[in-house]
Amino acid sequence: LKQQQQYDIKWLVSKYIPGLSKIYDLQNIANNKSIAIICDGPSIDSIDKNLIFRNHVVIGIDYMGLHYDCDYVITLAANVVNDLLEKYSSDQIIVPNMMYSGSGMDIDDGLTQFDIDEEGSLPEKIRPPFCNFKSPVHCAVHIAAFMGADNIVLYGSDNKIINDKSHTTKIEFYNNGHYWPNNENTSKIFTFYEQGLNSLGKLLIKNNIKLLRMNYV
């Protein structure tokens, strides 16, 4: 039956859900390579750029794409996209298709869109829908695996308050210029973030993909 099939999933998506077809162009483009993901944790300000750019592919998270020259930028926030479009082509900006609901943006604006899973669902396969733990970092890790990476390295993926900072010092781009308070709600956010990374780590182990974290020690 498989041999008799004339079309693959990419053809099916391009024909019936064209907005999601570009993500399949990224499948296996980084086979046996290392992908760096630049997160917005406070320790990113202390990490040597040369270390990050030793990797073959660099993915920025949100406004990190404005401060580093990345190959791709992933965001879940519609308000970030216009700023990114001043620097990147639409193909380089990767967003979930569900982000556009009520955002006023045209869903056919040429961005690379992906299908995102229900919040908190455990990722089971290295393919869409990509996991959703309320952070673009998790989507980036899942997509990096979809790209075929052998190693995925997270830079600045802190889940703690460091020197009273919850984000990079470029705080003007985040949370209306305010750091998260060091309270129970922030702790819950960090815990949910870690649960997502742990779930992704288990999936990557099954697929012989290494996930490394370079952040605050």
Side-chain angles (χ1 to χ4, degrees):
L1 178 62
K2 187 174 182 180
Q3 291 175 344
Q4 293 176 17
Q5 288 178 334
Q6 298 181 42
Y7 307 109
D8 59 14
I9 184 65
K10 184 177 179 180
W11 177 90
L12 185 67
V13 170
S14 64
K15 183 172 178 62
Y16 295 104
I17 323 174
L20 298 179
S21 62
K22 284 188 177 182
I23 195 70
Y24 284 92
D25 292 335
L26 301 180
Q27 188 171 17
N28 298 323
I29 65 165
N31 274 345
N32 302 315
K33 294 182 179 180
S34 179
I35 294 182
I37 298 174
I38 307 177
C39 308
D40 63 353
S43 68
I44 195 64
D45 296 309
S46 303
I47 294 175
D48 187 348
K49 285 186 179 181
N50 293 322
L51 186 63
I52 297 173
F53 287 95
R54 288 178 184 175
N55 297 276
H56 300 98
V57 178
V58 177
I59 298 175
I61 298 299
D62 293 333
Y63 283 111
M64 292 296 97
L66 296 180
H67 299 287
Y68 297 86
D69 292 327
C70 304
D71 298 293
Y72 301 95
V73 183
I74 295 180
T75 182
L76 306 186
N79 63 312
V80 180
V81 174
N82 286 333
D83 291 333
L84 294 174
L85 282 170
E86 295 181 5
K87 180 176 180 180
Y88 296 96
S89 70
S90 57
D91 289 345
Q92 293 175 282
I93 302 173
I94 306 175
V95 298
N97 57 332
M98 67 177 291
M99 181 183 73
Y100 291 91
S101 299
S103 69
M105 295 186 67
D106 185 355
I107 199 167
D108 296 320
D109 59 7
L111 302 181
T112 297
Q113 300 171 39
F114 62 90
D115 196 14
I116 193 169
D117 211 341
E118 294 182 8
E119 184 178 308
S121 296
L122 299 181
E124 297 181 355
K125 297 182 179 179
I126 305 289
R127 60 171 175 74
F130 297 116
C131 66
N132 180 7
F133 284 85
K134 301 172 75 171
S135 167
V137 173
H138 303 88
C139 298
V141 172
H142 207 163
I143 290 171
F146 184 67
M147 290 178 174
D150 180 58
N151 296 289
I152 301 171
V153 190
L154 291 171
Y155 294 90
S157 62
D158 309 297
N159 284 312
K160 59 184 74 174
I161 304 295
I162 303 173
N163 297 326
D164 297 323
K165 297 175 183 177
S166 56
H167 291 73
T168 169
T169 54
K170 302 169 183 66
I171 191 62
E172 63 271 18
F173 294 113
Y174 295 95
N175 311 309
N176 296 316
H178 298 286
Y179 295 111
W180 291 343
N182 191 1
N183 58 21
E184 184 177 352
N185 186 57
T186 297
S187 179
K188 288 180 179 178
I189 294 172
F190 287 161
T191 298
F192 192 56
Y193 184 107
E194 287 296 329
Q195 289 174 349
L197 285 185
N198 288 338
S199 298
L200 281 167
K202 292 176 182 178
L203 175 64
L204 299 185
I205 287 173
K206 290 180 180 178
N207 290 272
N208 298 314
I209 302 171
K210 302 176 185 67
L211 178 62
L212 310 173
R213 297 177 71 175
M214 298 289 291
N215 53 353
Y216 188 81
V217 177

